[in-house]
Amino acid sequence: MQTKNLNTEKGKSKQKILKSATKLFAQKGFDGVGIREICKDASVNISMISYFWGGKKGLYQGILDDLVEKQTEYIKSFLDFDIDFKILSKKEQVNLLFVLLDKTIEALYGGFISHDLIRFLLQEQQKQIIELSSPIITFLRKLIVVIFDKDENDRDIIFKFVFILSQINSPFVLPAYSLKLLNQKKFSKQDKDIVKANVKLYIQALLTQEGIDG
């Protein structure tokens, strides 16, 4: 019982550190934050960072690893992560795409990713200190490649993929602007439905353009 309680407390401390580190890295960047500041914000002993990650760079990577782990658990809750897309009919592939997009939008606008984490990820895109391999994005890209029957390095398919991502992410990545226009503090169910409808409309246009029956 004592060991279980100790592990529970360590788990709570780990999540508190990840939350504080995400916020502070997003605000000040990697070089602008020290481990003492992170631990003070999280109200944990400084030794916990060495215990879990070895140091600041390991913690930075730990934020990305934690996101990947949670994304993997989430995606496995509604589809077969190892499915072979090529055994599916074109209609089944498109239906799977819409399921994935629907679930991704639900998670994104339902609080799965904090705005601090979004700011952190945008910063990471600029500096590329370490690489993020998102299972949802990887799965989505492979599925789009199969649906449009193109090579993954084809320039047209790369832009299609990026534009689909931007359709999903834009309002959430620009929350201050989007929510100000909406005159509200958070996204509602109606907002999620509108994002889903717009993403689906865009994809249907791409499918029609390529002569694919979706």
Side-chain angles (χ1 to χ4, degrees), residues 169-185:
N169 291 328
S170 293
F172 189 79
V173 170
L174 301 170
Y177 186 68
S178 300
L179 292 173
K180 183 178 181 180
L181 290 177
L182 293 166
N183 194 29
Q184 59 196 47
K185 293 183 178 181

Side-chain angles (χ1 to χ4, degrees), residues 144-160:
I144 290 171
V145 166
V146 171
I147 289 173
F148 289 96
D149 196 24
K150 298 283 182 71
D151 183 271
E152 65 176 8
N153 296 315
D154 180 90
R155 296 179 70 85
D156 180 63
I157 204 67
I158 288 173
F159 278 106
K160 278 185 171 63

Side-chain angles (χ1 to χ4, degrees), residues 30 57-62 64 120 124 127-132:
F30 181 79
K57 188 170 183 180
L59 170 58
Y60 194 93
Q61 178 66 56
L64 303 179
F120 172 88
E124 169 58 24
K127 293 189 175 182
Q128 296 181 335
I129 297 173
I130 24 200
E131 185 177 349
L132 169 66

Side-chain angles (χ1 to χ4, degrees), residues 19-77:
K19 183 177 180 180
S20 291
T22 301
K23 177 183 69 175
L24 292 170
F25 282 141
Q27 291 174 351
K28 303 181 179 183
F30 181 79
D31 294 327
V33 182
I35 58 174
R36 290 186 182 278
E37 183 180 4
I38 293 169
C39 290
K40 182 179 179 180
D41 188 85
S43 299
V44 300
N45 191 289
I46 194 170
S47 64
M48 297 303 289
I49 289 183
S50 295
Y51 176 81
F52 286 117
W53 299 284
K56 189 169 75 166
K57 188 170 183 180
L59 170 58
Y60 194 93
Q61 178 66 56
I63 295 172
L64 303 179
D65 293 342
D66 184 66
L67 175 59
V68 168
E69 182 180 340
K70 289 175 179 175
Q71 281 191 355
T72 302
E73 289 177 4
Y74 178 69
I75 200 172
K76 285 183 176 179
S77 71

